[in-house]
Amino acid sequence: MEFGVLGSVAAWDGEPVDLKGPRHRAVLGRLVVARGRVVPAGVLVDDLWVDPPAGALSALRTFVAALRRAIEPDREPRAPARLLVTEGPGYALRTEAVDAWRFEAAVQASLPPGELLTELLAGLALWRGPAYAEFAEEGWALAERSRLNELRLRAVERVGEARLALGRAAEAVPDLDAHVTEHPWREDAWRLLALALYRSERQGDALAVLRRARQTLVGQLGVDPGPALGRLETDILNRAAHLTPAGSVWAETAAAYDRVVGGTRARIESTVGLLRNLAVTGGGGLEAARGHRLAAITAAEELGDPDLTARVIGAYDVPAIWTRSDDEAQAAAIVAAAERVLPTQDHPSIRARLLATIALESRGSRSTRAREAALEAEQLARGLDDPALLAFTLNGVFMQTCYRAGLAPERDAIGAELVTVSQRHNLFTYEVLGHLIRLQSACARADNATADQHAEAADALAARHELPLVGVFTRWYAALRDDTPESYREAAALLDSAGMPGLSDGLLPLALAAHAIRHDQPIPEADYGPHTPWVKGSPNPPPGLLLETYWALTAHAARQSGDGQLLEKARAALVPAADEHAAGSGLLTLGPVANFLR
């Protein structure tokens, strides 16, 4: 159902409402303006009559009863009203089916250009005349009329923006031209019209529109054009590249793909490629990719196609450096899906991708299954001529090379092979991964010069290929090198938008605790998040790049509490890393492991 106010308020679900007079409609309009809030009966009386007569309240109740019969004709006698309700001292309209509200939602929507254009055009189609036309002189309607009219003008301009984003510049010209003629003070409309003309290969017309805009604004309104119009004129004269951005190419390509590719299977499989690219664009992209990945796998499984499901799972070969999951429940669901489909797959490359996915998504697991999957995936990949697959499986092996202390040399060898393979075959994301792995291993060996080289190489690749998340790890490495609370706090600021809760949760307090221990200071009270058990001195930490750090913290806590049994357990776990530093994460350091073996 729909209650219309963008024109006449006497419409319900697109049909006229049988009301007896203007005051009935005024009550309804006044309640719509209130947007679901209760309007006291006294306020309604004052809005309906300049000089309320005796019996005004009784008349109001009669109007309300008539309205209820009109908008809920099927309501049983004595049944409570659902739409026009009595609450406390007044009345309220309880419905979302108001065309003005639907229109406002469309104008304010944040959607891809194609979806946004559809919503905006549907919203504009709701207008059947000026808003609250019947009550143009009523004080209670004036502000809402003005607000809705402003939204209507903005909607027309957003339609133009959406068409430009979709590469449909010529289609945007007529409506924008009419818009500026009717509303010449709208500078953004002039800008959009000129841009649409330029993108329609009408450079002369675009410059003429900008001149017309200047003459109109100065000559008729007495105001100088804003800087945006001046910049656009200069850019058009110079044929600036950004006036035909890549976004329009993307939109046109996407639209063509939508027209040509209609199959659900092809769409699902293509989606994973987009998610893979999205994951390396920054924190927001990583979160979005993570949020949609499981949905794509679920959709493939629901089609009952194990081959498609296997491809969808294995295609997400995004390099991973951190050994704690960002979403453990989702990771477990992906592992379960991979295990379900694995027995149906005989092709070695598909099996290798599924096994590598199991290894990667089982990061931090104590199960031997994850390491077995990683090694089997690597063995399969080495028998195939597929460098990208080999890099993917090596990532899985790396993720499972933290099951005991002292394995930094093994991880360094994996990093070195990743760099070599990636440089030979232009796998730049895995080349970055290899440098970050080698940086971590160098930190464990306290080889700062080598770590610096790998940090510089990772940063250079990140700048060249637009990989902003790399800077999170290299900035934290710089904080490790500086080893001051201030540098750790500055590095922590990058985590807010990184989209990696598995990394960020409790990391700053942990770094400050490590700094305090190194400087013989008390560990500060703080929320250590997932690190809390080992800061407090619990045994058996999970596998991961913080394994040596956790055991060193446990040794420190045991020494402080005098728990000799726990101290010996921690020392035994740390012995394989006796010549290393508790810094294999590349993010923070507790100094030489030997200090915790005494």
Side-chain angles (χ1 to χ4, degrees):
M1 292 186 297
E2 177 187 305
F3 177 59
V5 296
L6 299 179
S8 170
V9 298
W12 180 259
D13 210 15
E15 298 296 331
V17 176
D18 184 15
L19 299 179
K20 295 180 179 179
R23 287 200 171 94
H24 295 77
R25 297 191 292 276
V27 171
L28 197 49
R30 180 63 180 84
L31 293 175
V32 171
V33 168
R35 300 181 69 88
R37 296 185 298 273
V38 174
V39 181
V43 172
L44 285 170
V45 167
D46 289 339
D47 286 337
L48 291 176
W49 288 278
V50 176
D51 185 14
L57 281 174
S58 178
L60 175 63
R61 295 188 191 100
T62 301
F63 299 156
V64 169
L67 284 172
R68 284 171 173 160
R69 288 192 297 272
I71 66 177
E72 292 189 75
D74 298 327
R75 183 167 57 92
E76 295 292 334
R78 300 185 182 280
R82 292 182 301 104
L83 299 177
L84 203 171
V85 301
T86 302
E87 280 193 17
Y91 303 97
L93 193 64
R94 299 290 189 231
T95 178
E96 296 298 322
V98 177
D99 58 7
W101 302 350
R102 287 179 53 203
F103 168 71
E104 183 174 355
V107 178
Q108 297 175 346
S110 178
L111 296 169
E115 296 177 36
L116 180 61
L117 181 60
T118 299
E119 288 293 314
L120 288 169
L121 292 175
L124 286 167
L126 295 170
W127 285 77
R128 295 178 295 276
Y132 297 93
E134 191 174 356
F135 310 106
E137 304 304 321
E138 298 291 345
W140 54 265
L142 290 177
E144 185 68 358
R145 278 170 52 83
S146 177
R147 192 179 71 85
L148 288 172
N149 286 329
E150 173 61 26
L151 284 174
R152 186 180 192 177
L153 299 180
R154 179 62 187 131
V156 174
E157 290 157 12
R158 290 205 75 190
V159 165
E161 291 170 351
R163 284 173 171 153
L164 286 170
L166 291 168
R168 294 155 57 176
E171 186 180 320
V173 170
D175 286 348
L176 287 171
D177 199 0
H179 186 57
V180 298
T181 300
E182 189 174 354
H183 308 285
W185 62 90
R186 308 283 295 188
E187 287 195 41
D188 203 42
W190 287 108
R191 180 186 65 81
L192 290 168
L193 175 58
L195 185 57
L197 287 164
Y198 178 79
R199 290 188 184 174
S200 303
E201 299 183 2
R202 297 168 60 183
Q203 182 183 17
D205 289 340
L207 292 170
V209 159
L210 290 173
R211 286 193 294 272
R212 180 156 59 99
R214 185 182 302 105
Q215 292 167 358
T216 301
L217 291 169
V218 174
Q220 296 183 23
L221 303 176
V223 296
D224 291 325
L229 292 181
R231 284 195 302 269
L232 179 59
E233 184 173 24
T234 300
D235 289 342
I236 288 175
L237 287 168
N238 294 327
R239 292 187 174 272
H242 71 83
L243 294 182
T244 52
S248 62
V249 176
W250 172 273
E252 291 175 15
T253 304
Y257 185 89
D258 278 344
R259 289 193 299 271
V260 175
V261 180
T264 300
R265 286 169 171 77
R267 288 175 180 274
I268 292 173
E269 200 161 358
S270 298
T271 295
V272 181
L274 292 174
L275 295 179
R276 179 178 55 195
N277 295 332
L278 184 64
V280 298
T281 60
L286 179 60
E287 289 179 308
R290 191 162 60 238
H292 293 297
R293 182 186 176 195
L294 183 57
I297 294 172
T298 302
E301 282 198 291
E302 288 175 350
L303 290 173
D305 187 337
D307 293 340
L308 173 65
T309 303
R311 293 195 301 272
V312 167
I313 293 172
Y316 191 85
D317 52 357
V318 177
I321 185 65
W322 194 239
T323 50
R324 183 171 181 272
S325 176
D326 292 315
D327 187 331
E328 293 181 0
Q330 185 195 72
I334 292 170
V335 169
E339 294 283 21
R340 283 193 297 271
V341 78
L342 184 63
T344 70
Q345 301 301 307
D346 296 325
H347 196 285
S349 65
I350 296 294
R351 287 187 62 83
R353 285 185 173 276
L354 290 170
L355 290 163
T357 299
I358 291 168
L360 282 161
E361 296 302 330
S362 299
R363 63 190 82 181
S365 169
R366 301 178 191 275
S367 169
T368 59
R369 167 59 178 159
R371 180 161 172 75
E372 291 168 357
L375 296 176
E376 184 181 350
E378 179 191 11
Q379 183 180 16
L380 288 169
R382 290 195 184 281
L384 302 169
D385 185 18
D386 188 340
L389 176 58
L390 177 60
F392 184 33
T393 60
L394 286 173
N395 195 174
V397 174
F398 158 74
M399 199 61 67
Q400 296 302 322
T401 314
C402 300
Y403 56 90
R404 68 165 173 82
L407 291 174
E410 289 189 23
R411 294 194 290 274
D412 189 56
I414 293 169
E417 185 174 6
L418 276 170
V419 170
T420 300
V421 169
S422 299
Q423 288 177 341
R424 188 177 299 145
H425 299 282
N426 194 32
L427 305 173
F428 58 86
T429 56
Y430 281 106
E431 185 179 354
V432 170
L433 176 66
H435 283 299
L436 291 179
I437 291 172
R438 300 206 70 188
L439 180 155
Q440 294 167 340
S441 300
C443 287
R445 302 191 309 273
D447 184 353
N448 294 334
T450 298
D452 286 347
Q453 292 173 5
H454 289 297
E456 291 172 8
D459 280 336
L461 285 165
R464 190 182 316 149
H465 298 288
E466 298 183 5
L467 305 172
L469 293 177
V470 174
V472 173
F473 294 94
T474 56
R475 181 63 188 83
W476 269 88
Y477 164 67
L480 179 155
R481 294 277 275 120
D482 193 35
D483 194 33
T484 65
E486 292 74 19
S487 60
Y488 285 122
R489 291 189 181 96
E490 290 173 4
L494 298 178
L495 294 174
D496 294 340
S497 58
M500 294 185 285
L503 172 69
S504 61
D505 287 355
L507 183 60
L508 177 58
L510 183 67
L512 296 178
H515 179 271
I517 291 171
R518 289 195 67 200
H519 293 82
D520 296 320
Q521 297 169 355
I523 296 178
E525 291 293 327
D527 179 6
Y528 290 96
H531 314 297
T532 301
W534 297 281
V535 174
K536 302 296 184 183
S538 293
N540 301 321
L545 289 167
L546 289 171
L547 184 65
E548 289 87 355
T549 297
Y550 283 162
W551 275 121
L553 287 167
T554 297
H556 175 78
R559 187 181 295 156
Q560 295 294 108
S561 65
D563 188 337
Q565 186 177 3
L566 180 59
L567 180 59
E568 285 307 310
K569 187 171 185 177
R571 286 172 172 167
L574 285 169
V575 163
D579 296 330
E580 297 179 5
H581 279 222
S585 66
L587 307 178
L588 55 88
T589 180
L590 273 163
V593 169
N595 291 344
F596 299 91
L597 298 176
R598 298 170 186 162

